[in-house]
Amino acid sequence: MKETRRKPRLLLTLGATALSLPSVLAQQRPNILYIMCDDMGYGDLACYGQKYIRTPNIDRLAAEGMRFTDAYCGSPVSAPSRATLMTGQHTGHTHVRGNREYWNKNHTVLYGQNTDFGTAGQEPYDTAHIILPEIFKRNGYRTGLFGKWAGGYEGSISTPDKRGIDEFFGYICQFQAHLYFPNFLNRYSPERGDTAVVRVVLGQNIEHKMYGEDYNNREQYSAEIIHQEALRWLDHQHADQPFIGFLTYTLPHAELRQPEDSLLMAYKQQFDPKQGGAGEKTFSGQEPSRYNPTNYAHAEFAAMIARLDQQVGEIMEKLEEKGLADNTILIFTSDNGPHEEGGGDPGFFNRDGLLRGLKRSTHEGGIRIPFIVRWPGHVEAGSVSHQPFAFYDLMPTFCDIAGISDFPEAYRNKRLKNDWFDGISILPTLTGKGQQQQHDHLYWEFHETDMIGVRMGQWKLVVERGKCRLYDLSNDLHEDHNVATEYPDIVRQMKAFIHRDHTPNELFPVTLPD
């Protein structure tokens, strides 16, 4: 990455790249379908080196498109990572920087034998700052989101119905998503008569308890219900109006549970040591986190990724069936690095040890993620890109793809702290046309572990509780050798970026380096 100082860009410049590319891109008004799974590590797909799990559909997506090696999420946990995608801001600027929960313990609802929160969700997005679905809806796109929202609690100022989403189905609250057989899901569908986000009670599930043996009798599996709703929405899309869909699927996040079908049975057999398999891992459960126990953690995790792969295949088939595949940019990625909650075992599935760190860490393992893009006729099939970028680059990229170059003055932000849009379009990298602008650095901060990460070219600075460690990724991708004392000028330069990029946020404080 070029080491030049770059001022944050305002919203009115988001489409600058599109204006310099052939006008046919803007005229086509491409559809955008963004599939983002939950807690999948960099090495959890076969096309990224995974040995235990078969992912033929996602592998085919990579063979038909571009696979990125140096793609980064926006944060090492869910809600803030999604916030950087939605706002085009990194976590030094965007309002939501952590998984701040809103559970009203004094307001509960009884679902059968189960007591659940009457209100749940996360810290709302700043309503003074425009987000992606609002931009695209105001520019003639249909908008849908299926999966996790995590951008505001139920009834708050920032729910899908209030933020540019035409149709939503899934979980408003990401904590609720810890149960794959939940008491309820959330929906916003005006065609079904909804005027706001509502709860959809899962009647068969609530006949059984949320924990213990009776939980095994629940049959309404949220990952499949959400997926079917997404397919139904795609069925309603046509070539006469472009769409942007955010499929923020919950697989393979814990809990590690799913239907006892042939897919799971096959992986149980594969890992069974009696059959020559690599062995299993048991998990006794963690009721406060809504993680039910399992005796087959390895098989459950592998089957969840394989199930997700099947769903991606069905989405690809649906686009072909509708005649939309050639004019749809299809993206597959993960919201952050791998988890070890609920029986997760990233050390087992990523035995090559390519990256250091897990979810919640600003080491590479917590923030470097799989990222695949297919766009027939524009993205070279079977190509691999080493271009570094982060989720906050996707807002200008999507705007360039859609030919969106400016916005009415009324939608510009007035407060200084919200005037930043930190992204750079990577459309030139995708198409091989035009000059790719480079970041002078990429930035992450996360209050829960009190960590900051900065990447500047080959250099990676990790700050933990104010203490700096410098790594040379060109020969130390695993971040084992701290070379801060050998390159004090590099450390000073990267520390200056931190002090420039960080704006205080009392909800999500971090310790800056001296």
Side-chain angles (χ1 to χ4, degrees):
M1 286 178 289
K2 190 175 180 181
E3 296 177 13
T4 55
R5 186 180 179 92
R6 182 185 63 82
K7 295 181 179 179
R9 300 192 298 163
L10 293 178
L11 187 57
L12 289 178
T13 68
L14 286 175
T17 306
L19 298 178
S20 64
L21 291 171
S23 59
V24 66
L25 293 183
Q27 294 171 355
Q28 284 182 339
R29 301 277 281 173
N31 310 307
I32 300 172
L33 197 56
Y34 182 80
I35 307 172
M36 182 167 67
C37 69
D38 205 327
D39 289 4
M40 174 184 283
Y42 184 81
D44 284 335
L45 295 171
C47 57
Y48 279 86
Q50 176 56 228
K51 304 301 183 185
Y52 290 120
I53 309 171
R54 296 174 293 279
T55 53
N57 295 297
I58 298 174
D59 296 349
R60 178 165 67 90
L61 189 67
E64 295 174 356
M66 180 177 288
R67 181 175 65 86
F68 284 83
T69 64
D70 289 51
Y72 292 91
C73 60
S75 173
V77 295
S78 181
S81 192
R82 294 156 201 273
T84 66
L85 164 72
M86 288 294 186
T87 65
Q89 297 176 306
H90 61 54
T91 45
H93 292 155
T94 198
H95 173 65
V96 175
R97 305 182 191 183
N99 287 340
R100 181 178 170 86
E101 310 285 1
Y102 285 81
W103 306 322
N104 189 339
K105 295 181 179 180
N106 296 319
H107 176 208
T108 59
V109 178
L110 192 64
Y111 294 104
Q113 308 173 58
N114 306 282
T115 301
D116 214 328
F117 297 115
T119 302
Q122 283 65 52
E123 176 71 17
Y125 296 146
D126 186 349
T127 55
H129 188 94
I130 198 167
I131 65 172
L132 262 175
E134 293 172 326
I135 292 171
F136 274 75
K137 184 171 183 176
R138 292 167 184 174
N139 282 271
Y141 272 68
R142 294 189 181 105
T143 61
L145 193 150
F146 301 86
K148 282 167 60 169
W149 169 245
Y153 56 89
E154 293 170 299
S156 72
I157 57 175
S158 182
T159 49
D161 55 308
K162 301 170 185 174
R163 302 309 306 263
I165 298 293
D166 292 327
E167 184 156 346
F168 165 77
F169 195 95
Y171 293 93
I172 288 291
C173 175
Q174 62 187 26
F175 177 78
Q176 294 284 346
H178 288 191
L179 283 179
Y180 275 97
F181 297 87
N183 297 317
F184 64 89
L185 290 166
N186 296 101
R187 186 189 71 202
Y188 173 64
S189 178
E191 71 175 47
R192 292 167 168 168
D194 300 335
T195 57
V197 172
V198 298
R199 289 187 174 186
V200 178
V201 178
L202 302 183
Q204 193 279 335
N205 283 355
I206 67 172
E207 294 176 1
H208 306 281
K209 294 182 179 179
M210 296 162 61
Y211 307 105
E213 286 297 319
D214 195 28
Y215 183 73
N216 298 328
N217 295 315
R218 292 191 171 201
E219 298 175 355
Q220 292 171 292
Y221 181 52
S222 62
E224 185 60 25
I225 296 171
I226 292 168
H227 174 59
Q228 291 302 321
E229 287 291 326
L231 292 178
R232 187 190 69 83
W233 181 76
L234 284 174
D235 249 336
H236 286 75
Q237 306 312 309
H238 303 283
D240 61 347
Q241 184 178 2
F243 64 84
I244 183 169
F246 303 91
L247 275 53
T248 54
Y249 285 5
T250 55
L251 296 170
H253 193 292
E255 63 178 352
L256 301 184
R257 298 295 291 268
Q258 61 203 298
E260 292 273 345
D261 58 10
S262 59
L263 180 61
L264 178 58
M265 293 302 104
Y267 277 102
K268 282 185 177 181
Q269 183 174 6
Q270 174 179 320
F271 291 109
D272 187 350
K274 296 178 181 178
Q275 304 293 326
E280 262 299 353
K281 178 182 178 181
T282 61
F283 174 68
S284 60
Q286 190 177 5
E287 188 169 320
S289 297
R290 300 194 174 187
Y291 298 143
N292 276 281
T294 178
N295 292 321
Y296 306 97
H298 291 161
E300 292 277 7
F301 181 81
M304 288 166 83
I305 290 184
R307 194 176 304 278
L308 175 67
D309 180 77
Q310 288 185 351
Q311 293 177 344
V312 171
E314 290 172 4
I315 290 165
M316 295 165 71
E317 289 177 7
K318 180 62 67 176
L319 292 175
E320 292 286 351
E321 173 192 318
K322 297 286 295 181
L324 299 171
D326 287 346
N327 196 38
T328 298
I329 180 166
L330 181 59
I331 297 171
F332 180 87
T333 189
S334 174
D335 64 345
N336 48 248
H339 71 84
E340 55 184 356
E341 291 95 347
D345 194 355
F348 176 86
F349 284 100
N350 296 279
R351 286 185 173 179
D352 58 1
L354 183 65
L355 303 179
R356 175 182 177 181
L358 306 174
K359 177 181 178 179
R360 297 186 176 83
S361 170
T362 60
H363 283 288
E364 292 291 288
I367 54 177
R368 191 184 288 218
I369 39 87
F371 197 95
I372 301 167
V373 181
R374 186 187 75 174
W375 189 11
H378 300 286
V379 172
E380 182 183 354
S383 56
V384 177
S385 174
H386 306 296
Q387 172 67 33
F389 73 95
F391 277 0
Y392 47 88
D393 292 318
L394 296 179
M395 175 182 277
T397 302
F398 289 176
C399 287
D400 277 357
I401 287 170
I404 300 171
S405 60
D406 58 73
F407 301 93
E409 184 67 22
Y411 300 139
R412 293 186 63 190
N413 300 285
K414 305 302 180 184
R415 289 182 289 168
L416 179 62
K417 78 181 183 71
N418 286 311
D419 272 343
W420 284 301
F421 289 83
D422 299 299
I424 291 176
S425 173
I426 62 166
L427 184 58
T429 293
L430 293 174
T431 62
K433 299 174 182 178
Q435 183 65 38
Q436 178 61 61
Q437 186 182 1
Q438 300 292 337
H439 283 286
D440 49 21
H441 69 286
L442 298 171
Y443 181 86
W444 303 265
E445 63 179 57
F446 182 53
H447 77 293
E448 195 175 312
T449 49
D450 199 2
M451 296 184 74
I452 298 170
V454 181
R455 177 171 172 179
M456 182 181 75
Q458 72 195 65
W459 302 105
K460 176 71 177 298
L461 187 72
V462 176
V463 182
E464 191 166 4
R465 298 179 179 87
K467 303 300 181 182
C468 295
R469 300 190 297 273
L470 180 69
Y471 305 99
D472 182 352
L473 297 180
S474 66
N475 56 40
D476 183 22
L477 186 59
H478 197 262
E479 300 170 287
D480 292 319
H481 307 292
N482 178 13
V483 295
T485 58
E486 300 172 42
Y487 299 94
D489 291 343
I490 297 294
V491 173
R492 277 193 291 270
Q493 184 179 1
M494 297 178 80
K495 286 166 68 174
F497 286 144
I498 293 173
H499 286 275
R500 189 191 80 182
D501 282 5
H502 172 79
T503 55
N505 186 316
E506 63 182 12
L507 296 179
F508 310 103
V510 293
T511 305
L512 303 186
D514 294 337

